[in-house]
């Protein structure tokens, strides 16, 4: 059995450890992604494979209801011509043939015009617009002041007592986009962490550096008519991140990014 004095000393050590200030400041950051709106263009090999699979599917397919109807109508017309008389039909009844439907569909197809894959924002290289790079993921970057520097970062704020790290990251997103923006947050655990030390001039034993915990979310509402971002912001692809993020920060971010 431990002596009373040693037990008291153990409790004292534990109490001092719990009450000691944290040497690392904690931050929550949100990786907010706008998912692709259109598919990426097919490569030459992919187009050839798609054409081959389409041909195989056509050869092995059965007639659709519309095709069966058209064949039946063609047979009825042939019999009428051979017998030189019409079947009894209700007077004044309008008959819409399968061929009539196909002609109507053909006219609609001729009038259809696909939206361009390259938008005005692409042409002007407007990286503040969500209406660009429609076939790729876009990530939100904001310019924040750290010390005496202004850096491009994922939206981040410092953790406050009583918060979970996820709620800190949510607050970071709301700080820049407002509460009315809808986003689906993925999980309760961070996807990555970035740790750095403060410059020696301001570093102390109780203030060594910062740890940034990254969370991910998918943007579900892109209506920014009411949103007034408080800082400079950009929507960039994974390949464009190197133009803005520092190399060590970029390495940590690239570890949990997939641009499929």
């Amino acid at each position: 059995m431990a002596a009373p004095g040693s037990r008291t000393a153990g409790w004292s050590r534990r109490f001092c450890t719990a009450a000691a200030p944290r040497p690392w400041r904690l931050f929550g950051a949100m990786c907010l992604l706008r998912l692709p709106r259109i598919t990426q263009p097919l490569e030459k090999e992919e187009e050839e494979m798609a054409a081959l699979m389409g041909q195989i599917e056509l050869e092995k397919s059965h007639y659709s209801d519309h095709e069966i109807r058209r064949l039946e109508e063609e047979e009825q017309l042939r019999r009428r011509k051979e017998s030189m008389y019409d079947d009894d039909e209700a007077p004044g009844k309008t008959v819409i043939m399968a061929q009539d439907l196909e002609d109507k569909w053909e006219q609609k197809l001729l009038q259809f015009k696909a939206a361009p894959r390259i938008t005005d924002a692409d042409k002007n290289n407007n990286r503040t617009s969500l209406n660009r790079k429609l076939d790729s993921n876009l990530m939100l970057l904001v310019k924040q002041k750290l010390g005496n520097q202004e850096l491009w970062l994922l939206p981040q704020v410092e953790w406050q007592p009583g918060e979970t790290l996820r709620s800190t990251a949510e607050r970071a997103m709301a700080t820049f986009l407002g509460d009315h923006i809808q986003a689906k947050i993925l999980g309760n655990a961070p996807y990555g962490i970035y740790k750095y030390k403060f410059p020696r001039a301001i570093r102390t034993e109780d203030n060594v550096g910062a740890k940034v915990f990254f969370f991910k979310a998918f943007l579900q509402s892109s209506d920014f008519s009411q949103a007034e971002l408080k800082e400079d912001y950009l929507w960039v692809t994974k390949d464009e991140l190197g133009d803005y993020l520092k190399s060590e920060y970029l390495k940590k971010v690239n570890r949990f990014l997939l641009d499929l």
Side-chain angles (χ1 to χ4, degrees):
M1 182 175 179
S6 62
R7 181 180 297 179
T8 303
W11 279 105
S12 177
R13 284 195 298 272
R14 239 175 287 176
F15 178 79
C16 291
T17 302
R22 294 182 176 83
W24 296 90
R25 294 171 62 185
L26 305 181
F27 291 81
M30 185 62 76
C31 174
L32 181 61
L33 296 171
R34 188 224 66 187
L35 297 178
R37 295 178 176 174
I38 60 175
T39 59
Q40 295 185 351
L42 298 179
E43 301 290 342
K44 180 180 178 182
E45 295 79 4
E46 293 174 326
E47 290 181 349
E48 294 175 352
M49 178 57 70
L52 176 60
M53 296 303 296
Q55 182 63 30
I56 293 174
E57 182 179 358
L58 176 62
E59 292 174 356
K60 294 185 177 182
S61 65
H62 298 280
Y63 284 125
S64 67
D65 291 343
H66 176 77
E67 289 171 321
I68 293 174
R69 172 186 172 182
R70 178 173 178 178
L71 291 174
E72 291 175 348
E73 290 178 352
E74 289 176 351
E75 179 64 17
Q76 290 176 1
L77 289 175
R78 185 185 65 79
R79 290 179 179 179
R80 288 177 182 176
K81 289 180 180 179
E82 291 178 353
S83 61
M84 301 300 293
Y85 71 90
D86 294 335
D87 294 337
D88 293 336
E89 296 285 352
K93 181 179 179 181
T94 302
V95 179
I96 300 178
M97 308 291 288
Q99 185 61 50
D100 297 331
L101 292 175
E102 292 183 12
D103 292 341
K104 182 180 179 181
W105 297 336
E106 182 68 22
Q107 291 299 319
K108 284 187 176 182
L109 179 61
L110 294 175
Q111 295 172 5
F112 173 77
K113 184 177 181 182
R117 298 180 64 92
I118 305 300
T119 65
D120 292 337
D122 289 317
K123 297 175 182 177
N124 300 326
N125 196 25
N126 180 10
R127 297 189 177 185
T128 63
S129 173
L130 276 170
N131 195 34
R132 63 183 296 267
K133 301 292 184 181
L134 300 180
D135 60 354
S136 302
N137 289 323
L138 289 183
M139 181 190 306
L140 176 65
L141 296 182
V142 295
K143 185 178 285 187
Q144 294 183 255
K145 189 171 184 179
L146 295 181
N148 57 358
Q149 290 184 310
E150 285 191 344
L151 302 174
W152 287 104
L153 304 167
L154 303 184
Q156 70 177 45
V157 293
E158 188 169 1
W159 173 83
Q160 295 180 355
E163 285 185 330
T164 63
L165 286 172
R166 168 173 163 156
S167 61
T168 303
E170 291 177 354
R171 182 164 55 86
M173 182 171 59
T175 299
F176 294 96
L177 296 178
D179 296 328
H180 62 279
I181 297 300
Q182 298 178 359
K184 180 177 180 58
I185 301 172
L186 307 181
N188 296 316
Y191 281 76
I193 179 174
Y194 172 64
K195 181 172 69 173
Y196 64 94
K197 291 185 177 180
F198 295 140
R200 293 185 180 273
I202 62 174
R203 191 188 311 167
T204 64
E205 292 183 359
D206 299 335
N207 198 28
V208 175
K211 295 181 180 180
V212 183
F213 295 86
F214 299 109
F215 290 78
K216 289 176 70 175
F218 293 152
L219 184 66
Q220 294 183 311
S221 171
S222 57
D223 182 13
F224 286 88
S225 58
Q226 299 177 0
E228 296 182 0
L229 279 76
K230 300 177 182 179
E231 305 287 342
D232 293 334
Y233 69 97
L234 297 169
W235 291 97
V236 296
T237 64
K238 182 179 179 181
D239 294 336
E240 296 168 343
L241 289 176
D243 298 340
Y244 304 97
L245 303 183
K246 288 193 172 183
S247 58
E248 290 301 318
Y249 189 91
L250 178 61
K251 288 180 183 178
K252 300 298 183 182
V253 173
N254 277 333
R255 286 184 178 180
F256 58 85
L257 277 185
L258 292 175
D259 198 3
L260 302 177

